[in-house]
């Protein structure tokens, strides 16, 4: 159990008597969508602190427990003042919609952890080894998809702020071709991704 998350994340209680195989009925929780920076600042909270909690929450699921929420859009993550408190650091992240989870096998979780470490260290040997096992041949592009930023094995993460508009358009067109190539091999890519 993660004591940091226990203090910062709230999961609404379920009402089993009103739940079925297709419906989860949970308590109502008010809050602000996690991506509404302006309203979060108006509440007196530090947006960076909240994003740290979001990253910690999903990192804990992906890399520690292996039980991962499959619908993590901003509407399912609300920010509110922790009940019974006041002050800048007393926010609470309300985590909604627990109808779909995936359980990662331990082997995949270990490989995925190694993959992320290798991306950050630009350890191409490990990236290629894991990628090959997963059926991924375009490691730079696959790493870009994981990071949601352009990645190059020689340069690491590419700062798009330093690129010209022409370079960005070229990268976008190249990405479209590369996605089509990656999607051609989906049978070998772990379904947990």
């Amino acid at each position: 159990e993660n004591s940091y998350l226990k203090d910062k994340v709230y999961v609404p209680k379920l009402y089993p008597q009103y739940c079925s195989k297709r419906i989860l009925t949970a308590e109502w929780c008010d809050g602000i969508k996690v991506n509404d920076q302006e309203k979060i600042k108006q509440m007196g909270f530090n947006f960076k602190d909240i994003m740290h909690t979001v990253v910690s929450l999903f990192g804990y699921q992906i890399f520690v427990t292996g039980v991962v929420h499959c619908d993590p859009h901003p509407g399912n993550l609300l920010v509110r003042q922790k009940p019974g408190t006041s002050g800048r650091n007393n926010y609470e992240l309300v985590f909604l919609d627990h109808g779909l989870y995936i359980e990662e096998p331990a082997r995949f979780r270990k490989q995925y952890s190694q993959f992320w470490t290798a991306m950050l260290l630009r350890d191409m040997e490990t990236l290629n080894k894991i990628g090959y096992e997963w059926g991924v041949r375009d490691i730079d592009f696959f790493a870009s998809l994981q990071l949601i930023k352009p990645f190059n094995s020689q340069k690491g993460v590419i700062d798009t702020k330093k690129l010209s508009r022409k370079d960005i358009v070229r990268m976008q067109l190249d990405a479209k071709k590369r996605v089509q190539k990656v999607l051609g091999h989906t049978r070998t890519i772990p379904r947990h991704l």
Side-chain angles (χ1 to χ4, degrees):
E1 193 169 291
N2 185 310
S3 60
Y4 169 76
L5 291 174
K6 186 177 180 183
D7 189 48
K8 292 290 183 192
V9 178
Y10 180 77
V11 175
K13 66 181 175 187
L14 291 179
Y15 295 103
Q17 67 272 28
Y18 302 113
C19 296
S20 70
K21 187 177 180 180
R22 294 181 173 259
I23 298 172
L24 283 177
T25 305
E27 73 177 295
W28 179 265
C29 292
D30 287 315
I32 305 300
K33 285 184 182 181
V34 75
N35 64 342
D36 193 336
Q37 290 187 47
E38 205 51 48
K39 285 186 181 174
I40 288 170
K41 287 178 186 174
Q42 288 172 10
M43 292 175 71
F45 300 133
N46 183 312
F47 189 73
K48 269 185 152 177
D49 291 344
I50 290 168
M51 289 302 105
H52 174 80
T53 302
V54 171
V55 169
S56 296
L57 172 61
F58 284 99
Y60 186 73
Q61 289 182 12
I62 293 165
F63 299 114
V64 178
T65 68
V67 180
V68 183
H69 188 286
C70 292
D71 195 15
H73 61 81
N76 283 340
L77 292 164
L78 304 178
V79 178
R80 69 179 183 182
Q81 182 77 41
K82 190 171 184 173
T85 68
S86 62
R88 186 173 172 88
N89 278 332
N90 288 319
Y91 66 87
E92 190 170 61
L93 189 65
V94 180
F95 198 27
L96 304 173
D97 192 5
H98 299 276
L100 184 60
Y101 275 79
I102 190 165
E103 190 168 343
E104 302 168 330
R107 176 174 164 72
F108 169 78
R109 196 165 65 245
K110 182 178 180 183
Q111 283 182 318
Y112 199 50
S113 296
Q114 292 169 336
F115 190 87
W116 270 88
T117 302
M119 277 192 299
L120 298 174
L121 298 175
R122 284 185 272 163
D123 174 358
M124 293 311 294
E125 183 179 338
T126 301
L127 285 175
N128 284 313
K129 180 181 170 216
I130 293 170
Y132 185 81
E133 192 170 321
W134 290 351
V136 175
R137 301 299 179 259
D138 189 345
I139 289 299
D140 282 1
F141 185 62
F142 189 74
S144 297
L145 293 174
Q146 301 306 299
L147 293 164
I148 315 173
K149 288 186 179 279
F151 177 85
N152 178 289
S153 51
Q154 271 67 50
K155 298 175 186 174
V157 175
I158 298 169
D159 184 358
T160 54
K161 292 176 187 163
K162 295 180 181 177
L163 297 175
S164 70
R165 178 88 175 127
K166 185 178 176 182
D167 288 335
I168 292 171
V169 169
R170 182 184 45 75
M171 288 173 71
Q172 289 172 336
L173 293 173
D174 185 45
K176 182 178 178 182
K177 292 176 191 169
R178 291 167 94 176
V179 164
Q180 290 168 341
K181 186 177 177 183
V182 168
L183 292 176
H185 301 286
T186 56
R187 289 183 312 278
T188 55
I189 296 174
R191 69 182 185 93
H192 314 289
L193 288 170

